Amino acid sequence: MNDAKQASPAFGGFLILPLKYDPDRLGRARLEALGEPAPVTTADVNENIKAMFDPASPASVGWGRVLPRQALWASLGGGRAGALKVRSGGREFDFSLEEARLYVFNTRVAFLCLALTFPSMETLAAICNPGWASSSAAFFRLDEAGQSRAFSLEGWLDGLLGPLGLQKFFDGPSSYLLDAYVYTFTLAPEWFDTLEEMRAVTFNLHKMVEPDAPMEDAAEEDIRYVFAARNRDKNAYRWGCCVASQTISYVVADPALDLAAQLAVQAEDGLPVVLLALYEKYTCLRFTELMARLKKGRMKELRELKNLLLNFRAFGTAAPANLSRWHNVKQIFANLLAVNDVEAAVADVSAKLDILAAHQQELERARSETVINLITLFGIVSILASVLSIVQILSDGNTLIWASTILTTGLLALATAFALRRR
C-alpha cells in the first residue's frame, strides 16, 4: 500500500461484552430511563431482520438502547467526558469512550457494546491483551483539571450493569474483557486497487497491530475475508473485512477520514449483523447453563425452558440466505456463524434438552404409576367392603330389596353388553 493510504491512521470500534440476566431481576424501566431506543433501520438487512430488533413486533427477539456518553461518564465520576488512558507494559495510551449500545434478548442474554476511538492499534492491544487470560492494564480518566484519576474497569462495569439486573456472562473472577468480541475498523483516504491490500490491513487489525506492520500467521484457521464488489466507475474496491471467532475488522475508503461518521455507520449497518450471530451463540451457552441448574422434578421450569428453545429455533434464528439482499452481507453473517460453530451449538443444546425432557417424563411416569397403584389398592379394599355390605343387606332384606338388586344388576349387565357391542 502506498504512503498516501497510510497517512494519519485512526481507529474505532466496539468492545462487545456478553452478559446474562434473570427475567425477574431485569431493571427494564431503569434501563429505558438511562438511554434512548436503538432501532435497526439499515438497508443492509431485510425487513424480517429489522423486525427481530423491534420490541413491538411479534417476531421480536430483543431490543436495544443507546447509552449516551454523558451517562457513562457520570458513572465513572465525571471529568472530561470520554477522555481515558490505559497503562500497560510501562507505556500509556490515550483513547476515547463514545456512546454505548446495550442489546437485551429474550433468551436471557444481553450485550454491552462500548464504542471506542483510539490513535493506534497498540492502544487496543493494551486494553484487550489478546492471547492471554489475564491483564495488567490500568485505566485512568481525566478530571476537570486534566489530572489522571485511576479507576477499576471491572468495578465501573459492575456499578453500571448491576442496578440494571445484568451480570457478566461467565461467573468467576475473570475480566469482562476476557470474553469480549472485538469489532474494529480503520479508514483509508483512497480506494483500493487489489484485494490483497485490504486483506493485509484487516488481518493486521485482527492481530491488533498497525496496518502497515509486516504480519503473517498461517496457524489461524478461523479467518474469513469478505470484500465489497469492485466499483465499475473507479475500478477499485471501497471496503473489506476480516472475520474471526473473536474479532471482526474492517478497512473502509473515506477521503474525508471522518472517524465519527464512520463509527455511526458501523453501529447502524455492521453491528446488528454481528450481534445477531453472537446472540445465537450465547443463547446456546445460556440454555446449557439453565439446564444444568434445573432440579429434578421441576417440570414447570423444564416446560418453560423447552418453550423458550422452541421459540428460539423456530423464530429466533436467521439463515444467511434470508438476512440481506446483498451477497457480501450474507457472507459476513454466514462466516460469523461458521467460525463460531453456531449451527452445531444449536443442535447440541436441542439434543441435551430432549434427553433431559425424556428423563423428566420417565420420572413423572414412575410417580403416576405409584399413585395409580395406591388408588387401585384402595379401590380393591373398597370393593371388598362394598360386597360385604351388600351381602349383609341382602341377608336381612325383604322381597323388594332382592327384586331391586336383581333389576339393577340386569340393567348394568345390559348397558355393559351394549357398550361392548358398540365398541
Side-chain angles (χ1 to χ4, degrees), residues 221-242:
E221 298 181 357
D222 65 335
I223 301 294
R224 307 286 192 277
Y225 294 97
V226 181
F227 306 103
R230 194 176 188 92
N231 184 276
R232 294 178 60 184
D233 296 331
K234 293 181 177 293
N235 194 29
Y237 302 96
R238 190 175 70 87
W239 64 264
C241 79
C242 171

Side-chain angles (χ1 to χ4, degrees), residues 199-310:
R199 192 189 307 270
V201 172
T202 55
F203 181 75
N204 280 15
L205 297 184
H206 157 69
K207 300 296 289 185
M208 298 185 192
V209 299
E210 296 303 317
D212 56 352
M215 187 71 198
E216 292 183 6
D217 190 351
E220 294 199 60
E221 298 181 357
D222 65 335
I223 301 294
R224 307 286 192 277
Y225 294 97
V226 181
F227 306 103
R230 194 176 188 92
N231 184 276
R232 294 178 60 184
D233 296 331
K234 293 181 177 293
N235 194 29
Y237 302 96
R238 190 175 70 87
W239 64 264
C241 79
C242 171
V243 180
S245 58
Q246 293 179 300
T247 67
I248 184 169
S249 308
Y250 282 86
V251 61
V252 182
D254 178 16
L257 296 177
D258 191 338
L259 194 68
Q262 188 58 218
L263 186 65
V265 170
Q266 295 291 338
E268 177 61 29
D269 296 344
L271 193 57
V273 175
V274 175
L275 284 170
L276 195 58
L278 293 179
Y279 141 76
E280 294 187 20
K281 171 186 175 179
Y282 280 92
T283 290
C284 295
L285 293 172
R286 182 68 165 138
F287 280 158
T288 301
E289 179 190 16
L290 293 173
M291 284 188 289
R293 286 166 43 184
L294 278 176
K295 297 180 180 179
K296 291 183 179 180
R298 303 297 292 270
M299 288 298 295
K300 180 180 178 181
E301 294 180 7
L302 180 62
R303 282 193 293 268
E304 290 177 356
L305 188 57
K306 196 165 186 177
N307 288 335
L308 202 61
L309 178 60
L310 179 64

Side-chain angles (χ1 to χ4, degrees), residues 12-23:
F14 306 91
L15 292 180
I16 305 175
L17 311 182
L19 308 169
K20 64 182 178 181
Y21 68 92
D22 293 322

Side-chain angles (χ1 to χ4, degrees), residues 27-88:
R28 180 160 182 167
R30 183 174 294 185
L31 178 56
E32 290 176 349
L34 185 63
E36 298 295 328
V40 175
T41 58
T42 175
D44 283 358
V45 298
N46 293 330
E47 294 302 319
N48 61 310
I49 303 300
K50 296 178 186 179
M52 295 176 72
F53 289 90
D54 182 2
S57 170
S60 173
V61 300
W63 44 276
R65 308 290 294 185
V66 177
L67 308 184
R69 187 167 64 169
Q70 291 77 9
L72 300 176
W73 198 252
S75 64
L76 273 173
R80 295 185 180 179
L84 300 174
K85 293 178 180 290
V86 58
R87 184 179 299 162
S88 179

Side-chain angles (χ1 to χ4, degrees), residues 121-168:
M121 288 303 293
E122 291 181 285
T123 308
L124 187 60
I127 295 172
C128 298
N129 198 27
W132 301 92
S134 60
S135 174
S136 60
F139 294 88
F140 303 86
R141 63 179 178 85
L142 297 183
D143 62 16
E144 295 292 352
Q147 299 297 315
S148 293
R149 302 292 183 184
F151 72 93
S152 167
L153 181 68
E154 306 299 314
W156 169 60
L157 290 172
D158 283 337
L160 175 66
L161 300 171
L164 302 176
L166 300 168
Q167 55 186 309
K168 186 170 51 177

Side-chain angles (χ1 to χ4, degrees), residues 42 120 128 154 193 260 302 363 381 386:
T42 175
S120 73
C128 298
E154 306 299 314
D193 297 326
L302 180 62
L363 294 177
V381 173
S386 298

